[in-house]
C-alpha cells in the first residue's frame, strides 16, 4: 500500500467498514489516535517490542493522510438481525465515538458483489469518501472486498492485514477496549478440529461469501467484511467488515447452550488478558483455534474504549444455542452509560 505523506497533501476522506467487533474497532482507534498505540509499544514484551513496533509503524504509514469521516455498516436486505453484531449496539458505538454512521443495504440481486460495488460507489459520489478501511486480516471469500471496491474510485485499505494475533490483542488492550464475546462456534472447540482447522477455514473462505455463519449472519444486519454474508457482516473472523457470509444462518430455533460446551467459558465474557491466558491460549494448543477468532471461532462487540465518550451497557441477555452457535440473546436494549 502507498500513501502520500507530504505535509501539503489533502487528507483523504475515509470510511471504516464497521461491525463493532474488536477488529474494525481497532482500525477506528488507530485512525483516530495513533499515538496511543505508539505509546503502548514501550511496555510491550522485550522479546517482541522491536518487531511489533516496526510492524505497527508500517501499518500506520499505510493509512497516513487518511481522515476518518464516517462508519458504514452493510446490511443484507430482509435478513434477520445479526446475533454477533447487533445493529442497535453498533449505532451506540458510533455515538460514543462521535462519528456519523451509515447503514447501507446490500442485496443478492443481481449479486452481492454488484450490490456492494454500487454502495461503495455511492460512498464516493454522495459522501466524498476516497478510502474504505476494513478490519480484515486474511483473504476471505476470494478477495471479495477488493473485487467490490475495484473500479469505484474508492481505495480499499486493510491496516490489520496479516497482523500477528498477539500484536492485535495488545492494540485492543492498549486502547482500553472491552470486547465482550457475543457468539461462539462450538464446533471449533473440539479436539477433531485441530487437524485441518486451517484447511477448513480456507475452504470456507474460497467457497462462499464472507460472514455466512450463524454468528455473523443470523444476527442479521450489521456488517462489514466476511463471506457467507459477504455483504453483511463479517465472515470467518470477528467482524469481517463487509461481506455476505455473516448473514447466513438466521432464523433457526434457539435453546440454551448446554453446560458442557466450551462456549460456556467464553460466551458473555470480556476478552481480557486473563481470559486470553486462561482459556484462549489453552484452546489454541488443544483445538488449533485462532486466538483472535479469525476463522469464526468467536465474535465480539466492544463496550468501551479510551476514545468513547461513555462506555456501553450491554443490556440484559441470556445465552442461547442455534445449531453450532451459542450467542447472547438480548432481553433489554443496550444503552450508553451515564458518566
Amino acid at each position: 500500500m502507498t500513501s502520500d505523506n507530504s505535509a501539503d497533501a489533502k487528507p483523504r476522506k475515509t470510511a471504516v467498514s464497521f461491525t463493532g467487533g474488536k477488529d474494525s474497532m481497532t482500525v477506528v482507534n488507530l485512525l483516530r489516535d495513533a499515538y496511543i498505540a505508539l505509546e503502548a509499544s514501550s511496555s510491550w514484551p522485550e522479546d517482541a517490542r522491536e518487531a511489533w513496533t516496526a510492524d505497527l509503524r508500517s501499518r500506520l504509514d499505510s493509512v497516513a493522510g487518511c481522515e476518518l469521516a464516517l462508519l458504514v455498516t452493510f446490511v443484507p436486505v430482509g435478513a434477520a438481525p445479526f446475533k454477533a453484531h447487533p445493529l442497535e449496539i453498533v449505532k451506540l458505538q458510533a455515538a460514543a465515538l462521535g462519528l456519523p454512521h451509515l447503514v447501507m443495504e446490500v442485496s443478492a440481486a443481481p449479486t452481492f458483489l454488484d450490490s456492494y460495488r454500487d454502495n461503495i460507489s455511492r460512498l464516493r459520489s454522495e459522501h466524498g469518501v476516497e478510502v474504505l478501511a476494513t478490519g480484515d486480516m486474511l483473504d476471505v471469500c476470494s478477495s471479495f472486498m477488493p473485487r467490490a471496491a475495484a473500479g469505484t474510485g474508492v481505495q480499499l485499505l486493510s491496516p490489520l492485514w496479516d497482523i500477528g494475533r498477539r500484536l492485535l490483542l495488545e492494540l485492543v488492550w492498549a486502547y482500553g477496549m472491552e470486547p465482550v464475546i457475543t457468539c461462539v462456534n462450538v464446533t471449533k472447540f473440539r479436539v477433531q478440529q485441530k487437524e485441518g482447522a486451517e484447511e477448513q477455514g480456507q475452504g470456507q473462505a474460497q467457497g462462499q461469501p464472507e460472514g455466512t455463519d450463524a454468528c455473523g449472519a443470523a444476527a442479521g444486519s450489521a456488517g462489514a467484511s466476511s463471506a457467507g454474508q459477504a455483504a453483511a457482516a463479517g465472515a470467518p473472523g470477528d467482524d469481517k467488515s463487509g461481506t455476505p457470509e455473516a448473514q447466513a444462518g438466521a432464523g433457526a430455533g434457539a435453546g440454551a447452550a448446554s453446560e458442557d460446551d466450551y462456549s460456556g467459558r467464553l460466551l458473555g465474557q470480556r476478552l481480557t488478558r486473563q481470559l486470553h491466558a486462561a482459556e484462549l491460549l489453552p484452546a489454541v494448543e488443544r483445538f488449533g483455534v485462532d486466538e483472535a477468532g479469525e476463522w469464526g471461532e468467536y465474535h465480539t462487540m466492544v463496550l468501551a474504549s479510551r476514545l468513547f465518550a461513555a462506555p456501553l451497557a450491554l443490556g440484559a441477555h441470556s445465552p442461547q444455542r442455534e445449531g453450532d452457535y451459542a450467542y447472547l440473546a438480548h432481553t433489554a436494549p443496550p444503552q450508553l452509560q451515564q458518566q
Side-chain angles (χ1 to χ4, degrees):
M1 299 177 215
T2 61
S3 57
D4 189 343
N5 295 312
S6 68
D8 297 330
K10 181 181 178 181
R12 295 177 296 165
K13 191 170 183 178
T14 302
V16 171
S17 181
F18 189 71
T19 60
K22 61 178 172 39
D23 302 340
S24 61
M25 190 67 78
T26 297
V27 173
V28 169
N29 279 254
L30 288 173
L31 286 167
R32 288 290 290 270
D33 195 335
Y35 178 75
I36 289 176
L38 291 170
E39 181 185 46
S41 67
S42 63
S43 63
W44 286 344
E46 185 175 355
D47 59 346
R49 187 182 309 146
E50 184 176 352
W52 283 2
T53 302
D55 188 334
L56 171 62
R57 289 184 180 277
S58 176
R59 295 177 191 282
L60 292 173
D61 285 346
S62 75
V63 295
C66 292
E67 182 177 60
L68 179 57
L70 58 91
L71 308 176
V72 56
T73 300
F74 297 100
V75 177
V77 176
F82 294 128
K83 292 180 171 61
H85 304 289
L87 190 57
E88 60 268 29
I89 298 180
V90 175
K91 292 177 178 179
L92 288 176
Q93 291 170 320
L97 288 164
L99 285 168
H101 178 227
L102 292 178
V103 177
M104 304 189 85
E105 291 188 332
V106 291
S107 170
T111 68
F112 275 121
L113 183 64
D114 290 322
S115 185
Y116 262 90
R117 186 171 292 137
D118 288 346
N119 277 301
I120 294 173
S121 295
R122 285 179 53 210
L123 287 174
R124 174 78 180 190
S125 62
E126 298 177 15
H127 301 280
V129 168
E130 299 171 80
V131 178
L132 178 62
T134 80
D136 292 331
M137 291 184 264
L138 297 173
D139 180 11
V140 289
C141 198
S142 301
S143 300
F144 179 88
M145 288 301 282
R147 287 185 286 130
T152 63
V154 175
Q155 181 184 6
L156 187 74
L157 288 180
S158 298
L160 303 183
W161 193 260
D162 202 27
I163 193 171
R165 304 303 189 262
R166 196 62 53 83
L167 174 55
L168 169 71
L169 293 173
E170 288 294 339
L171 292 174
V172 167
W173 297 324
Y175 281 98
M177 288 187 232
E178 294 184 9
V180 63
I181 296 176
T182 54
C183 190
V184 178
N185 182 337
V186 299
T187 67
K188 301 286 187 177
F189 295 90
R190 294 176 182 165
V191 174
Q192 64 267 29
Q193 290 290 328
K194 185 169 184 178
E195 293 184 8
E198 182 176 349
E199 291 83 346
Q200 178 188 7
Q202 291 172 344
Q204 178 184 39
Q206 294 169 6
Q208 53 188 344
E210 273 181 82
T212 291
D213 60 57
C215 273
S221 54
S225 109
S226 282
Q229 284 179 227
D238 178 54
D239 66 341
K240 305 298 151 273
S241 27
T243 47
E245 190 179 82
Q247 314 159 237
S258 61
E259 293 182 357
D260 59 350
D261 283 338
Y262 197 90
S263 62
R265 305 183 191 181
L266 299 178
L267 189 63
Q269 301 300 310
R270 281 172 167 74
L271 180 51
T272 61
R273 291 183 185 277
Q274 292 73 20
L275 185 76
H276 176 257
E279 302 295 349
L280 287 175
L281 286 182
V284 170
E285 178 62 27
R286 184 178 179 191
F287 307 116
V289 301
D290 186 296
E291 63 190 285
E294 187 59 10
W295 290 120
E297 290 89 344
Y298 65 89
H299 297 257
T300 65
M301 289 297 281
V302 175
L303 302 184
S305 162
R306 288 173 64 175
L307 303 186
F308 276 14
L312 277 62
L314 190 59
H317 56 272
S318 62
Q320 298 290 310
R321 179 70 177 270
E322 181 176 309
D324 294 332
Y325 298 90
Y327 65 94
L328 299 181
H330 292 269
T331 57
Q335 56 187 349
L336 284 174
Q337 296 184 24
Q338 298 298 318
Q339 289 290 78

